[in-house]
C-alpha cells in the first residue's frame, strides 16, 4: 500500500465554557462537541525510499494554508514517525480544503487527525485510538476529538473525551463571515475581562441522552461569544432564527455560526438566503465518526 485518502470532518461546539488554567498556562475547557458532514480530504502517499531526501512534502488547495513545518499536518506526521521509530520520511501530503479557516471548526486539527489515521494505516503500525490521541494532543488540543468524532463531552485542554449518544435527527446550517478570529487573541480577551464560568453542562448532556433536539437547541452556549466583537455573528444568528432555526450559536472561538433545524426545507431556504451575503455557507448533518479512510 502506497497511498491512503482520508475524509476529515469539521466540528461544532454545542456548548463551550472556559473554567480555568492548568499549571502550564493552558486553558481548561468544558465542551460538548459534534462532528458534521463537512470534510477536508487528505491524501497521504509514500514516496520511493530516499527520493525526496527523506522529507515530507505538503500541498494544499487553499493558498493561505502554510505548506511547511507551521502546518499541524506536517508537525503531527513528524510526531508519528518519532513515536514509531520510522526513519525514512519520504512522504507527500495533499489537503483538499473545504473547512473554512479561522472559523472555530477545527480545520487544522481535523487535518492533523486525518494524517494520523492515514499514517497508521499506511505504515500498518496498528496504533490504538488512545495511542493516536496521545500523539495528536501534543500538537493540537482538538486532534483527539477529531480522531474520535461523533457527539462527546470534552474536558481539560481537549484530551478528556466522554462519548455521548448520537445527536437526535437534525440539520445544521453553517455560515462563515469574511472576518476571522484568532483563537489566541480570543483567549487573551477572555482572560482580560475575567469572565467567570457559567455553563451548566448537565442540561445539555441530559437533552442529548433523551434525544430532545429542542432542549439541545435551548441550551446552546459559547463563552467566546461574549468577547468575539464581530457584528456579523449576531446578524447571522438572527437570520438563522428568522428562517426557523431552533437555536443558533457561534462555534469555537469563531467566526463561523451554526443553526440547528428540524425541517430540511427551512434549512435549505436559510442556506440559500445566507449565500446571498456570505460566500462560505454549508448544509450539513451530524456524523457519528472522526477521520475515516475512503
Amino acid at each position: 500500500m502506497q497511498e491512503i485518502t482520508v475524509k476529515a470532518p469539521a466540528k461544532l461546539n454545542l456548548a463551550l465554557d472556559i473554567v480555568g488554567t492548568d499549571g502550564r498556562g493552558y486553558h481548561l475547557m468544558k465542551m460538548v462537541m459534534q462532528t458534521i458532514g463537512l470534510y477536508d480530504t487528505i491524501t497521504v502517499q509514500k514516496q520511493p525510499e530516499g527520493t525526496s531526501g527523506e522529507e515530507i512534502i505538503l500541498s494544499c488547495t487553499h493558498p493561505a494554508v502554510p505548506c511547511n513545518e507551521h502546518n499541524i499536518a506536517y508537525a503531527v506526521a513528524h510526531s508519528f514517525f518519532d513515536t514509531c521509530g520510522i526513519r525514512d520520511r519520504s512522504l507527500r501530503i495533499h489537503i483538499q480544503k473545504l473547512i473554512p479557516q479561522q472559523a472555530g471548526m477545527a480545520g487544522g486539527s481535523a487535518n492533523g487527525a486525518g494524517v494520523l489515521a492515514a499514517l497508521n494505516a499506511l505504515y500498518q503500525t496498528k496504533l490504538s485510538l488512545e495511542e493516536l490521541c496521545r500523539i495528536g494532543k501534543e500538537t493540537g488540543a482538538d486532534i483527539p476529538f477529531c480522531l474520535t468524532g461523533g457527539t462527546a463531552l470534552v474536558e481539560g485542554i481537549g484530551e478528556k473525551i466522554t462519548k455521548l449518544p448520537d445527536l437526535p435527527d437534525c440539520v445544521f446550517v453553517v455560515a462563515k463571515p469574511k472576518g476571522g478570529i484568532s483563537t489566541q487573541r480570543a483567549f487573551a480577551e477572555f482572560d482580560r475581562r475575567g469572565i467567570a464560568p457559567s455553563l451548566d453542562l448537565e442540561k445539555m448532556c441530559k437533552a442529548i441522552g433523551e434525544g430532545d433536539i429542542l432542549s439541545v437547541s435551548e441550551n446552546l452556549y459559547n463563552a467566546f461569544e461574549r468577547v468575539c466583537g464581530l457584528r456579523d455573528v449576531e446578524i447571522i444568528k438572527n437570520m438563522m432564527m428568522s428562517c426557523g432555526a431552533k437555536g443558533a450559536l457561534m462555534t469555537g472561538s469563531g467566526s463561523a455560526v451554526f443553526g440547528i433545524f428540524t425541517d430540511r426545507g427551512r434549512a435549505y431556504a436559510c442556506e440559500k438566503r445566507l449565500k446571498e451575503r456570505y460566500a462560505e455557507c454549508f448544509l450539513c448533518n451530524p456524523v457519528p465518526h472522526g477521520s475515516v479512510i475512503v
Side-chain angles (χ1 to χ4, degrees), residues 42-44 52 55-61 65-77 89 91-96 111-112 115:
I42 302 150
T43 301
V44 180
S52 61
E55 96 181 88
I56 296 169
I57 299 173
L58 184 64
S59 59
C60 182
T61 55
V65 172
C67 292
N68 52 33
E69 66 274 10
H70 298 295
N71 191 300
I72 287 178
Y74 185 99
V76 84
R89 304 181 181 195
L91 195 73
R92 285 186 180 271
I93 300 172
H94 179 69
I95 302 170
Q96 185 176 341
N111 295 163
V115 167

Side-chain angles (χ1 to χ4, degrees), residues 76 79-84 112-113 116-117 120 124-139 143-144 147-148 159:
V76 84
S79 295
F80 173 87
F81 287 135
D82 289 343
T83 299
C84 297
L116 282 174
N120 197 34
Q124 300 180 3
T125 40
K126 299 180 180 178
L127 297 179
S128 67
L129 176 61
E130 291 74 19
E131 289 171 313
L132 291 174
C133 288
R134 197 174 302 122
I135 296 170
K137 74 175 184 179
E138 300 304 322
T139 305
I143 290 179
L147 282 162
T148 305
E159 82 285 7

Side-chain angles (χ1 to χ4, degrees), residues 215-266:
S215 185
V216 169
S217 303
E218 290 169 357
N219 286 284
L220 299 175
Y221 176 78
N222 185 348
F224 279 124
E225 280 196 347
R226 301 168 70 174
V227 300
C228 80
L230 277 185
R231 183 169 174 265
D232 277 311
V233 168
E234 286 304 315
I235 291 173
I236 293 171
K237 287 175 66 176
N238 290 336
M239 289 176 69
M240 288 176 169
M241 295 302 291
S242 71
C243 287
K246 302 304 180 184
L249 189 74
M250 187 179 79
T251 181
S253 59
S255 59
V257 177
F258 67 91
I260 300 179
F261 289 79
T262 55
D263 183 309
R264 183 167 287 273
R266 290 193 175 193

Side-chain angles (χ1 to χ4, degrees), residues 10-22:
K11 66 84 177 168
L12 298 176
N13 292 95
L14 304 179
L16 181 156
D17 207 358
I18 302 164
V19 297
T21 57
D22 66 7

Side-chain angles (χ1 to χ4, degrees), residues 32 37 43 50 55 57 88 90 93 107 110 117 122 147 151 155 166 187 191 212 226 250-251 283 289:
V32 174
T43 301
E55 96 181 88
I57 299 173
D88 182 34
S90 305
I93 300 172
L122 198 59
L147 282 162
T151 313
E155 300 174 276
D166 291 343
F187 273 120
D191 292 342
D212 185 350
R226 301 168 70 174
M250 187 179 79
T251 181
L283 192 69
H289 56 75

